[in-house]
Amino acid sequence: MNLRQLEILRAIVRYNTTVAAGRVLGLSQPAISNALKTMEEQVGFSLFQRSNNRIFPTEETKILLNEAETIFEIHKRIEMRIEDLKNNRIGQLRLVATPPLGYGVVAKAIQQIQKKKPNLKAFFDVHRYEDVIEYILSHRSEIGFVMGFAEHPGIVSQVVYKGHMVCVMPPEHPLMKLSVVTPQDLVRHRFIALEHGTKLGDALRHAFRQSKQDLEGSKNR
């Protein structure tokens, strides 16, 4: 399958119908249908399930498109680089960050940098910790921002800020009387914990284990 065929397949899945896919790609509906038929003949299996005049991508199609996303991203970067060269634009920065940083301090920092360097072209994505590491290793981003980074082969890191985890509560809450809130204090109250599988969530659970407190058995949500 060539890039154009993958592009057609991706558009059909994204826009749900061959008519909409054709409209976006500038092709007629029959052209899209013929291209789909050709692709299915080439791969030797069905790419869509048909039901009540609607089509639904098969699991095989989802796997193909998941693998193809890297190809589309590389192609997009090449097109953007060509555009930069054509317009004599230099200066490009690809950044990625985890949600706690990406939705706050990093976005503000990018805004400040672009005020000082208006010709700098910045591309910014927000992903989970594991994806940020993968973006750096695969050279899809030059710089990544995460919390609690563990050393990783092939990645150079620098600590830019150190902080403390805090507990927030209404002013009238009983815990307001304490200068430091510990896991022993928290288990007596209903509280909102942090998500499993995240750096902050893991850090919280580690603190509970060290204090011999059961986070899962406490009144958390």
Side-chain angles (χ1 to χ4, degrees):
M1 294 177 70
N2 56 45
L3 182 61
R4 184 56 168 172
Q5 289 175 316
L6 287 172
E7 187 179 30
I8 291 172
L9 185 64
R10 185 192 195 201
I12 297 172
V13 172
R14 179 170 292 182
Y15 299 103
N16 296 321
T17 67
T18 54
V19 174
R23 189 181 303 118
V24 171
L25 297 176
L27 298 172
S28 66
Q29 191 275 335
I32 294 289
S33 296
N34 289 335
L36 177 56
K37 181 180 179 182
T38 300
M39 283 186 278
E40 290 186 323
E41 290 173 352
Q42 287 178 333
V43 299
F45 53 81
S46 297
L47 296 170
F48 290 88
Q49 295 175 340
R50 279 79 173 173
S51 177
N52 297 325
N53 294 322
R54 298 186 63 186
I55 57 176
F56 303 91
T58 62
E59 287 303 315
E60 290 82 0
T61 297
K62 294 175 183 178
I63 292 171
L64 275 176
L65 289 179
N66 185 56
E67 293 291 335
E69 276 306 311
T70 301
I71 298 174
F72 286 115
E73 288 173 6
I74 293 172
H75 184 254
K76 183 179 179 181
R77 288 205 303 269
I78 292 173
E79 286 186 325
M80 289 189 296
R81 182 51 60 95
I82 291 172
E83 190 69 19
D84 287 340
L85 292 171
K86 184 175 70 175
N87 296 313
N88 295 317
R89 286 200 302 258
I90 57 173
Q92 177 176 299
L93 188 60
R94 294 170 298 177
L95 306 168
V96 62
T98 52
L101 298 171
Y103 292 131
V105 63
V106 176
K108 292 178 181 178
I110 292 173
Q111 185 182 37
Q112 292 173 2
I113 290 172
Q114 289 188 316
K115 286 180 180 178
K116 297 178 181 178
K117 297 181 179 291
N119 292 326
L120 176 66
K121 198 169 187 177
F123 301 89
F124 180 45
D125 280 318
V126 176
H127 290 283
R128 293 176 68 92
Y129 178 91
E130 295 78 9
D131 294 327
V132 172
I133 302 304
E134 178 57 32
Y135 264 59
I136 300 301
L137 290 173
S138 62
H139 303 288
R140 290 153 71 183
S141 291
E142 284 89 22
I143 302 175
F145 295 90
V146 299
M147 289 189 287
F149 177 71
E151 292 299 321
H152 197 292
I155 295 180
V156 177
S157 64
Q158 179 179 345
V159 177
V160 294
Y161 181 79
K162 289 185 177 182
H164 298 281
M165 187 180 293
V166 299
C167 179
V168 295
M169 67 207 75
E172 68 277 6
H173 197 280
L175 292 177
M176 279 295 294
K177 300 175 182 178
L178 304 176
S179 58
V180 177
V181 178
T182 67
Q184 290 92 333
D185 301 319
L186 287 174
V187 294
R188 302 189 187 99
H189 301 274
R190 186 173 181 82
F191 71 97
I192 300 173
L194 294 162
E195 184 183 0
H196 279 282
T198 62
K199 282 293 177 179
L200 288 178
D202 291 343
L204 179 65
R205 283 163 177 78
H206 178 67
F208 269 75
R209 286 194 297 271
Q210 283 188 321
S211 301
K212 296 182 172 53
Q213 300 296 319
D214 181 12
L215 175 61
E216 309 310 328
S218 63
K219 299 177 180 179
N220 74 86
R221 287 187 288 165

